[in-house]
Amino acid sequence: MSGATPPEVEVGLAAPEPGPRVEAPFGRRACPVIATESVGAYRLLAVEDHHGPAPLPGQFYMLAAADGWGGEAGERPYLGRAFSVCRSRGTRLEFLLERIGPGTDRLGRLSPGEQMLLVGPLGIGFSEPAAPSSTGVLLVAGGIGIAPIVTWAEALIASGAQPLTLAGFRSRAHTSAAQLLGGDVQIATDDGSQGHDGFVTELLEAELEHDDARAVYACGPPMMLEAVRAICARRAVQAQLALEEAMACGFGACFGCVVRTTTGYRRICVDGPIIDARDLDETWLER
Amino acid sequence: MSGATPPEVEVGLAAPEPGPRVEAPFGRRACPVIATESVGAYRLLAVEDHHGPAPLPGQFYMLAAADGWGGEAGERPYLGRAFSVCRSRGTRLEFLLERIGPGTDRLGRLSPGEQMLLVGPLGIGFSEPAAPSSTGVLLVAGGIGIAPIVTWAEALIASGAQPLTLAGFRSRAHTSAAQLLGGDVQIATDDGSQGHDGFVTELLEAELEHDDARAVYACGPPMMLEAVRAICARRAVQAQLALEEAMACGFGACFGCVVRTTTGYRRICVDGPIIDARDLDETWLER
Amino acid sequence: MARALGDDGRVSIGSLELEHPVLNGSGTFDAIAALRTFGDELRRRFPFAGFVSKTITVSPRGGNPPPRLWETPAGLINSIGLPNKGLRGFLQHDLPELATLPVPLIVSVAGFSYEEFRHLVAEVAERPQVAAIELNVSCPNVKSGCVMGSEPDETGALMEVVRSLTSKPLIVKLTPNVSDVAAVAEAAERGGCDAVSLINTLRAVAIDPDTGSPWLGAGQGGLSGPAVRAVALAMTLDVAARVRVPVIGMGGIERGQDALDFFAAGASCVAVGTESFRDPAAGTRIRDEMVALLAKRGFESAQSDFAKVSEPTKK
Amino acid sequence: MARALGDDGRVSIGSLELEHPVLNGSGTFDAIAALRTFGDELRRRFPFAGFVSKTITVSPRGGNPPPRLWETPAGLINSIGLPNKGLRGFLQHDLPELATLPVPLIVSVAGFSYEEFRHLVAEVAERPQVAAIELNVSCPNVKSGCVMGSEPDETGALMEVVRSLTSKPLIVKLTPNVSDVAAVAEAAERGGCDAVSLINTLRAVAIDPDTGSPWLGAGQGGLSGPAVRAVALAMTLDVAARVRVPVIGMGGIERGQDALDFFAAGASCVAVGTESFRDPAAGTRIRDEMVALLAKRGFESAQSDFAKVSEPTKK
Ligand SMILES: Cc1cc2nc3c(=O)[nH]c(=O)nc-3n(C[C@H](O)[C@H](O)[C@H](O)COP(=O)(O)OP(=O)(O)OC[C@H]3O[C@@H](n4cnc5c(N)ncnc54)[C@H](O)[C@@H]3O)c2cc1C
Ligand SMILES: Cc1cc2nc3c(=O)[nH]c(=O)nc-3n(C[C@H](O)[C@H](O)[C@H](O)COP(=O)(O)OP(=O)(O)OC[C@H]3O[C@@H](n4cnc5c(N)ncnc54)[C@H](O)[C@@H]3O)c2cc1C
Ligand SMILES: Cc1cc2nc3c(=O)[nH]c(=O)nc-3n(C[C@H](O)[C@H](O)[C@H](O)COP(=O)(O)O)c2cc1C
Ligand SMILES: Cc1cc2nc3c(=O)[nH]c(=O)nc-3n(C[C@H](O)[C@H](O)[C@H](O)COP(=O)(O)O)c2cc1C
Ligand code: FES
Ligand code: FES
């Protein structure tokens, strides 16, 4: 670390293009869990949020269990965890969780009546396709990345668009989540146990081959998003990606959640998680 | 801290008189909770311990919940907590808990079927009254200190003695625990809501006034034990006290649980918790 | 010496007047991003008595390569790397916006040489919007190779360079990664600082379990959160016993009781860092909890008695 | 240089041969009391590859006044104060019993002057039951007032006094309460030590919430447990990068993965302290967990691959 050498990249603090955003009530609030359900390998968690506004598709919340956060043996989870809103109906917010560690484990074991602590809605949401309105909209979901796609598909359909969702999963055990989707859906599985046998990005290539005047929205694992970025860059197709990075705060306080963009490091909690694919530095995935 | 000056007190590591002890299986084992019950303001917790020997009255266990130990918000409880065995029946062990902090809170919320982690039996138990067998035995319990007294009263009765238990509580809300006691019982409450209006040590004074050829066994808050010690010292009555100190390990490893005795600091987990009242340094309560 | 923490709960550090004794830790609350997230409600319910900016440097910095975060038992390791727009960018873009906050502004600065510190302090101090300056001395001096806050002599020399530049309060933010933090605090006091704050983060490393290599992009980072609280209390007690300037205590404060512990250790003010990540309004909650605890303990006026809690261990 | 940690999982530190790389931390396992508690099963299932005694001093010590313990988030503060029977008492009463353990014995010693260290090392080293000696340098030198392990010069001078007294392995137990622990390790290495171990506890304080005064009888203590793990890892990484002697890593090891993190940071051996309080057989469990993790990651023979995990960050 040396102040003498100029920074490798631009600071990434220059005001980004403002994305659509609904402001969050200040602070953390307790919300009761009102329903939980298994959706294939995932878990759907519904809470009653009386004090928050309706979020935009693509926005997220920081969640923690009111009890038992702090975990086993003095261990993690300690900080809140970020989750995209999967569906919202009035004061009811739904989240879809994949159990991958102590935080998702604890949240997945919540029962109706228990309290969840929540901050949000946070970040910026998806933007409508740029006018002139394209002939169609392609949504690409990889695994649990389907969560924000569900609510975005709903919103698009409500506004009269006819999105086609390409949903990729590891295997048949995970595909039930596709039933949450409205509109047309094509499924791919890595092991070929359902739908297309292969990557969802192969479906995307085929669709764009067929008609590339469509806006693309994608959420999924980093490798998938990179493939989407590269495909869309090659074809000059407009794409918005919903990124993930480990987050400590979710509201721009810690500078921990950055991704490398062409103009420097960007905090994906305040200047994302939705980001224009063209803004990503090509090396964004390199560590 | 200086090595040049001689230690204030003797080291207290000299082999103490060996007390009765049942050895514990080495390590920590998981035991299912099989029953829980409220006993007035206290909580009774029964576990099935298939792999441990029957403990002696006065011995204790280090307990932790298998899940959710580590507590809320990354906070305590982190270490195990010490609990005297209150009753044991075959492989069934019963503990009586007073909720005073995060550890007792968590343990108090365990339900049948959940797992508890347990190390023990630990420490030394009560010793039979010295021969020639005294005309009687007086047991003195203060509040939650009743736990080891319950099992000791049972054992004494089984061996043909006729103990009289003097049990003091804050108020009527706590006295239900006295129903766990076999043999004769006199109750005192601090607020006079049941039984003698005043301290249980007043009952003790009265009993010894009447007949001081009896052995005394006591467990309760430090101030009560000090009163018992002083009373018995004055009358040259033999007394065994079950002490409490915050413990990190329970098996002599940390040297954290010492009490000041006439021969130096003594670890009450390995060389107690039962200790001859005459061994206590008169200033043992001073901090 | 007048007490920094008054019976009314107000704090005076030189000319800096605070309504109550809870600040944010530098770099743990970006008020500008928070305004975008929470809107004007943040202004109305601002959780701190003063706002401490993220540390700024002379040149702009992008910060460290990701990943920048690792969660530990009851703690967080960060290796953010002081990303900031640089002095010019800060004065031009951020200062006007920070000046709209309802509380006094304390600007945290870090130089990689005495010269840089001189430049930063001179430029920042002359802005009327700035109420006080915090000197983050956890960076290495590129000339000596030594972290300026790790040696009393370096800290003393730094104070000599900057003290004469301004009469505004100068707060020295101490690093805990030293053998004797109180000796550094004494040097800062001899050099004329108006207060010291501590602790900055403890040097820490996380290993990626999948590769066995360090997880953080920069290799190492700093530990904060409840895990460090007991260490921060020890250092606060030491420092408060050896200097007469006010001490701003921080490190793992989560609840009102934790804050009271720091006052008991001799602090006149506290700062909340990592806990704001979990609860953006933690500053307010912690203050309310303190007031409630003091009331419960029977002080006549809870509002007025932050100070009293510190008496048992005060010199 | 031969690697201290072999492919078979065995560790060699000079003439000290360990079957596997898990020791206890000094002062966190009293084998004599544990034998009374757990009986002969402890001998059959002894959890450590070598037994490190509680630190002994020349004169007997009663230790610090209680309370001696305070639980923190994911950690423990202790202020035990080195109670022990003194050199003579140890040699007479404890050594014969410790010699019956099924593993090599490492005796930890602390002097309050070079003279005391000389006396301790000379007396302890000549006993055939003793396989190695650990020098606990966290105590103040009554002559200089300085903690011997806090200054490279003091540590170097100590090594000069004791090295020539014995050819048995000498391990220097480093204190983390310093600015540059690796500099102290280098001094110990230059002075001829056979290994370094770290970390001892971090200086810490707890406040009694009811009184506002320090809780511990001795005022302050040392923090251990998971809370310190990330700090211990950072120091282990530093030290392992700067010395060639084997490093024994410890601080907050709870599970096999934690131990692997220390190997990845460059340790050749680990020690388990506070976790044994929660689980007396933790040493065995942690070793089993390591073996299972290594097997899962596809090393040919799990048993043989403790060493490989350290390669990514090895010099
Ligand atoms: C904007 C956004 C939206 C998201 N939406 C969803 C959603 O709708 N549904 C969903 O299921 N998930 C979503 N996620 C992901 C979710 O936040 C993570 O799965 C969750 O944080 C994992 O927490 P955990 O404790 O279960 O796992 P962790 O143990 O935290 O593991 C998660 C990953 O973090 C890393 N890691 C491991 N240990 C540590 C450590 N100690 N410190 C730091 N990192 C570590 C590893 O790479 C690991 O794979 C979203 C994330 C973001 C940023
Ligand atoms: C041999 C023995 C037998 C026992 N038998 C029983 C029994 O049968 N039934 C029963 O209910 N209890 C029994 N106890 C007491 C029981 O162990 C304690 O009540 C229990 O440990 C409290 O844990 P906690 O987390 O609920 O409370 P804690 O929060 O640990 O509070 C307990 C006390 O510890 C102190 N304290 C507070 N915070 C801390 C801290 N951070 N670190 C250290 N100390 C702190 C305070 O003085 C407080 O009053 C026994 C204790 C011993 C030693
Ligand atoms: C993400 C993060 C960024 C930080 N950035 C800075 C900084 O820029 N300047 C500074 O002086 N301290 C910085 N700190 C240290 C905090 O101000 C504070 O001293 C430390 O985190 C201890 O307090 P806590 O445990 O309440 O977080 C940072 C801490 C964190 C967690
Ligand atoms: C109760 C207790 C007593 C200790 N006594 C000693 C000691 O006598 N000598 C020593 O070198 N270290 C002592 N230590 C430090 C440990 O050996 C170890 O370095 C430290 O606890 C970190 O490891 P851990 O987090 O696994 O406990 C003690 C630690 C504890 C918790
Ligand atoms: S998560 Fe803290 S800045 Fe984004
Ligand atoms: S509790 Fe550890 S020695 Fe007694």
Side-chain angles (χ1 to χ4, degrees):
Chain A
M1 186 165 72
S2 152
T5 51
E8 264 181 12
V9 290
E10 209 189 294
V11 177
L13 303 182
E17 322 89 270
R21 176 196 305 274
V22 161
E23 284 174 5
F26 180 54
R28 180 176 68 171
R29 55 196 185 275
C31 295
V33 174
I34 51 177
T36 64
E37 190 188 319
S38 288
V39 180
Y42 306 124
R43 187 115 189 119
L44 192 80
L45 204 64
V47 302
E48 187 76 45
D49 178 22
H50 280 295
H51 297 101
L56 300 179
Q59 285 195 295
F60 70 97
Y61 292 76
M62 296 297 284
L63 305 185
D67 280 329
W69 203 259
E72 324 311 80
E75 281 290 337
R76 308 183 309 127
Y78 159 59
L79 299 160
R81 299 292 193 259
F83 295 91
S84 305
V85 61
C86 176
R87 286 197 298 211
S88 89
R89 304 260 184 281
T91 57
R92 179 185 173 107
L93 293 177
E94 293 183 5
F95 301 98
L96 191 69
L97 273 61
E98 178 174 29
R99 188 177 293 195
I100 64 160
T104 46
D105 182 61
R106 177 69 191 98
L107 291 169
R109 285 189 286 117
L110 282 174
S111 312
E114 292 191 274
Q115 299 286 318
M116 204 167 71
L117 299 175
L118 160 166
V119 181
L122 300 169
I124 57 182
F126 292 108
S127 305
E128 297 283 332
S133 74
S134 27
T135 55
V137 175
L138 281 174
L139 307 182
V140 188
I144 187 66
I146 198 168
I149 299 295
V150 168
T151 179
W152 185 224
E154 271 184 12
L156 287 167
I157 292 167
S159 72
Q162 294 184 329
L164 165 63
T165 305
L166 314 174
F169 298 96
R170 248 161 293 165
S171 74
R172 185 179 206 93
H174 298 80
T175 56
S176 331
Q179 291 161 16
L180 301 172
L181 286 165
D184 293 334
V185 179
Q186 289 178 23
I187 285 177
T189 50
D190 297 355
D191 64 358
S193 52
Q194 189 178 339
H196 172 70
D197 180 355
F199 292 137
V200 68
T201 45
E202 293 158 10
L203 296 180
L204 176 64
E205 289 263 26
E207 281 297 327
L208 290 176
E209 187 63 41
H210 166 66
D211 169 9
D212 69 0
R214 289 185 282 184
V216 170
Y217 298 85
C219 185
M223 294 296 289
M224 182 203 99
L225 293 182
E226 168 53 16
V228 172
R229 188 200 64 74
I231 291 167
C232 293
R234 218 163 39 238
R235 297 177 182 270
V237 167
Q238 189 206 338
Q240 288 179 29
L241 310 179
L243 297 190
E244 283 191 14
E245 267 296 329
M247 291 184 174
C249 70
F251 61 100
C254 75
F255 284 79
C257 61
V258 295
V259 63
R260 215 175 285 130
T261 70
T262 54
T263 53
Y265 288 124
R266 186 179 296 181
R267 286 170 291 180
I268 69 156
C269 68
V270 273
D271 300 327
I274 312 305
I275 174 165
D276 189 314
R278 287 166 304 190
D279 289 357
L280 280 182
D281 186 284
E282 286 185 17
T283 66
W284 72 286
L285 265 190
E286 282 168 25
R287 293 244 135 135
Chain B
M1 186 163 75
S2 154
T5 51
E8 264 180 12
V9 289
E10 208 190 295
V11 178
L13 303 182
E17 321 88 90
R21 177 195 304 274
V22 162
E23 285 174 5
F26 180 54
R28 180 176 68 173
R29 56 196 184 274
C31 295
V33 174
I34 51 177
T36 64
E37 189 189 322
S38 287
V39 179
Y42 306 124
R43 188 117 189 115
L44 192 80
L45 204 65
V47 301
E48 187 73 46
D49 177 23
H50 280 296
H51 298 101
L56 300 178
Q59 284 194 295
F60 70 98
Y61 291 76
M62 295 298 283
L63 305 185
D67 280 329
W69 202 258
E72 324 309 80
E75 280 289 338
R76 308 185 309 128
Y78 158 60
L79 299 160
R81 298 292 193 261
F83 295 91
S84 304
V85 61
C86 175
R87 287 197 296 211
S88 89
R89 304 261 183 278
T91 57
R92 179 187 173 108
L93 293 177
E94 294 182 3
F95 301 97
L96 192 69
L97 273 61
E98 178 174 28
R99 186 178 293 193
I100 63 160
T104 45
D105 182 61
R106 177 71 190 95
L107 290 169
R109 286 188 288 118
L110 281 174
S111 311
E114 292 191 274
Q115 298 287 315
M116 204 167 71
L117 300 175
L118 160 164
V119 181
L122 300 169
I124 57 183
F126 292 108
S127 305
E128 298 282 333
S133 75
S134 24
T135 56
V137 175
L138 280 174
L139 307 182
V140 187
I144 187 65
I146 198 169
I149 299 296
V150 168
T151 180
W152 185 224
E154 272 184 10
L156 287 167
I157 292 167
S159 73
Q162 294 183 328
L164 165 63
T165 305
L166 314 174
F169 298 96
R170 247 161 294 164
S171 75
R172 183 179 206 94
H174 298 80
T175 56
S176 329
Q179 290 161 18
L180 301 172
L181 286 165
D184 293 332
V185 180
Q186 289 178 23
I187 286 177
T189 51
D190 297 354
D191 64 357
S193 52
Q194 189 178 338
H196 172 72
D197 180 355
F199 293 138
V200 68
T201 43
E202 293 159 9
L203 296 180
L204 176 65
E205 289 262 28
E207 281 297 328
L208 289 177
E209 188 62 42
H210 166 69
D211 169 9
D212 69 0
R214 288 185 282 184
V216 170
Y217 298 85
C219 185
M223 295 295 291
M224 181 201 100
L225 293 182
E226 168 53 17
V228 171
R229 186 199 66 75
I231 291 167
C232 293
R234 216 161 42 235
R235 297 177 180 271
V237 167
Q238 188 206 340
Q240 288 179 30
L241 310 179
L243 297 191
E244 285 190 13
E245 268 295 330
M247 291 186 174
C249 70
F251 62 99
C254 75
F255 283 79
C257 62
V258 295
V259 64
R260 214 175 289 130
T261 69
T262 53
T263 53
Y265 288 125
R266 185 178 297 180
R267 287 169 291 180
I268 70 157
C269 68
V270 274
D271 299 327
I274 312 306
I275 175 164
D276 189 311
R278 287 166 304 188
D279 289 356
L280 281 181
D281 186 283
E282 286 186 16
T283 67
W284 71 287
L285 265 191
E286 283 169 26
R287 292 244 135 136
Chain C
M1 184 189 64
R3 280 192 319 187
L5 177 59
D7 283 346
D8 52 2
R10 297 174 61 96
V11 177
S12 316
I13 296 175
S15 57
L16 175 67
E17 296 280 341
L18 304 172
E19 290 277 338
H20 64 80
V22 183
L23 298 173
N24 64 300
S26 169
T28 64
F29 202 92
D30 179 345
I32 296 175
L35 281 170
R36 271 194 277 155
T37 304
F38 300 114
D40 257 356
E41 193 189 347
L42 175 63
R43 255 187 257 277
R44 289 193 304 273
R45 295 181 47 210
F46 200 73
F48 309 111
F51 179 71
V52 184
S53 79
K54 185 150 181 59
T55 298
I56 62 164
T57 53
V58 171
S59 311
R61 294 170 59 89
N64 291 333
R68 292 179 171 184
L69 300 172
W70 182 261
E71 192 184 53
T72 70
L76 170 69
I77 313 181
N78 82 81
S79 81
I80 308 298
L82 302 185
N84 77 96
K85 294 175 182 161
L87 176 62
R88 228 170 30 162
F90 173 80
L91 293 178
Q92 192 178 335
H93 299 291
D94 293 353
L95 186 57
E97 195 159 354
L98 295 178
T100 70
L101 296 175
V103 297
L105 176 63
I106 300 160
V107 176
S108 168
V109 301
F112 294 90
S113 66
Y114 297 134
E115 256 326 298
E116 285 199 351
F117 263 115
R118 185 203 305 276
H119 185 40
L120 288 160
V121 171
E123 290 279 330
V124 169
E126 74 172 20
R127 303 295 160 137
Q129 303 96 324
V130 176
I133 297 177
E134 185 168 81
L135 307 171
N136 176 347
V137 293
S138 295
C139 298
N141 182 335
V142 288
K143 303 240 169 69
S144 70
C146 163
V147 170
M148 284 184 242
S150 75
E151 289 295 336
D153 290 351
E154 290 251 349
T155 308
L158 170 63
M159 286 309 299
E160 208 152 298
V161 171
V162 298
R163 178 64 280 182
S164 58
L165 300 174
T166 179
S167 61
K168 288 191 177 167
L170 293 177
I171 303 164
V172 176
K173 171 95 174 256
L174 301 167
T175 164
N177 303 303
V178 299
S179 308
D180 186 357
V181 67
V184 179
E186 286 172 338
E189 177 175 55
R190 277 194 305 273
C193 74
D194 297 278
V196 294
S197 57
L198 74 165
I199 61 172
N200 212 318
T201 55
L202 280 168
R203 225 163 52 73
V205 159
I207 302 290
D208 181 345
D210 293 333
T211 66
S213 304
W215 169 266
L216 298 165
Q220 59 171 40
L223 183 66
S224 64
V228 310
R229 193 191 306 144
V231 174
L233 273 173
M235 294 191 174
T236 299
L237 194 69
D238 268 9
V239 167
R242 278 166 59 184
V243 299
R244 301 175 64 87
V245 292
V247 174
I248 303 169
M250 74 190 92
I253 295 177
E254 273 186 301
R255 297 158 310 178
Q257 180 60 57
D258 305 332
L260 291 180
D261 287 354
F262 278 85
F263 289 114
S268 301
C269 190
V270 294
V272 176
T274 307
E275 183 63 6
S276 294
F277 300 163
R278 300 175 2 119
D279 175 3
T284 304
R285 175 177 49 76
I286 288 166
R287 180 161 47 96
D288 291 348
E289 286 168 357
M290 272 199 285
V291 170
L293 281 168
L294 291 174
K296 207 167 92 184
R297 286 180 203 158
F299 288 109
E300 273 158 38
S301 144
Q303 277 288 26
S304 76
D305 284 284
F306 287 120
K308 295 199 182 137
V309 297
S310 69
E311 274 159 29
T313 52
K314 261 277 169 73
K315 313 141 266 178
Chain D
M1 184 191 61
R3 281 192 317 190
L5 177 60
D7 283 346
D8 54 0
R10 296 175 62 95
V11 177
S12 315
I13 295 175
S15 58
L16 174 68
E17 297 278 343
L18 304 172
E19 290 277 340
H20 64 80
V22 183
L23 299 173
N24 65 300
S26 169
T28 64
F29 203 93
D30 179 345
I32 295 174
L35 280 169
R36 269 195 277 155
T37 305
F38 301 114
D40 257 355
E41 193 189 347
L42 175 63
R43 258 187 255 276
R44 290 193 304 275
R45 296 181 47 210
F46 201 75
F48 309 111
F51 179 72
V52 185
S53 79
K54 183 146 184 65
T55 299
I56 62 164
T57 53
V58 171
S59 311
R61 293 170 59 88
N64 291 332
R68 293 179 171 186
L69 300 172
W70 180 260
E71 194 184 51
T72 70
L76 170 69
I77 312 181
N78 82 79
S79 81
I80 307 299
L82 303 184
N84 77 95
K85 296 175 182 162
L87 176 61
R88 228 166 33 161
F90 173 81
L91 293 176
Q92 191 178 336
H93 299 290
D94 293 352
L95 187 58
E97 194 159 358
L98 294 177
T100 70
L101 295 175
V103 297
L105 176 63
I106 301 160
V107 176
S108 169
V109 301
F112 293 88
S113 65
Y114 298 133
E115 256 325 297
E116 285 198 351
F117 263 115
R118 185 203 305 276
H119 184 42
L120 288 160
V121 171
E123 290 279 330
V124 169
E126 75 172 19
R127 304 295 161 134
Q129 303 98 320
V130 176
I133 296 177
E134 185 169 80
L135 307 171
N136 177 348
V137 292
S138 295
C139 298
N141 182 333
V142 288
K143 303 241 168 71
S144 71
C146 164
V147 170
M148 285 185 240
S150 75
E151 290 294 337
D153 290 352
E154 290 251 349
T155 309
L158 170 62
M159 286 308 300
E160 208 153 299
V161 170
V162 298
R163 178 65 280 183
S164 59
L165 301 173
T166 180
S167 62
K168 288 190 179 168
L170 294 177
I171 303 164
V172 176
K173 171 95 174 257
L174 301 167
T175 164
N177 302 304
V178 299
S179 309
D180 186 357
V181 67
V184 179
E186 286 172 337
E189 178 175 54
R190 277 194 306 274
C193 74
D194 297 277
V196 294
S197 58
L198 75 166
I199 60 173
N200 212 317
T201 54
L202 281 168
R203 225 164 51 75
V205 158
I207 301 290
D208 182 344
D210 293 333
T211 65
S213 304
W215 168 265
L216 298 165
Q220 59 171 41
L223 183 66
S224 64
V228 310
R229 194 192 304 143
V231 172
L233 273 172
M235 294 190 173
T236 299
L237 194 69
D238 268 9
V239 167
R242 280 165 58 185
V243 300
R244 302 175 62 87
V245 293
V247 174
I248 302 169
M250 73 191 90
I253 295 176
E254 271 187 302
R255 297 159 310 178
Q257 180 59 57
D258 305 332
L260 291 179
D261 288 354
F262 278 84
F263 290 115
S268 300
C269 190
V270 294
V272 175
T274 308
E275 183 62 6
S276 294
F277 300 163
R278 301 178 357 122
D279 176 3
T284 304
R285 174 174 51 74
I286 287 166
R287 180 161 48 95
D288 292 347
E289 287 168 354
M290 272 199 286
V291 170
L293 281 168
L294 292 173
K296 207 167 93 185
R297 286 178 202 159
F299 288 109
E300 275 157 37
S301 146
Q303 277 288 23
S304 75
D305 283 284
F306 287 121
K308 295 200 179 135
V309 296
S310 68
E311 274 159 29
T313 51
K314 261 277 169 72
K315 314 140 268 183

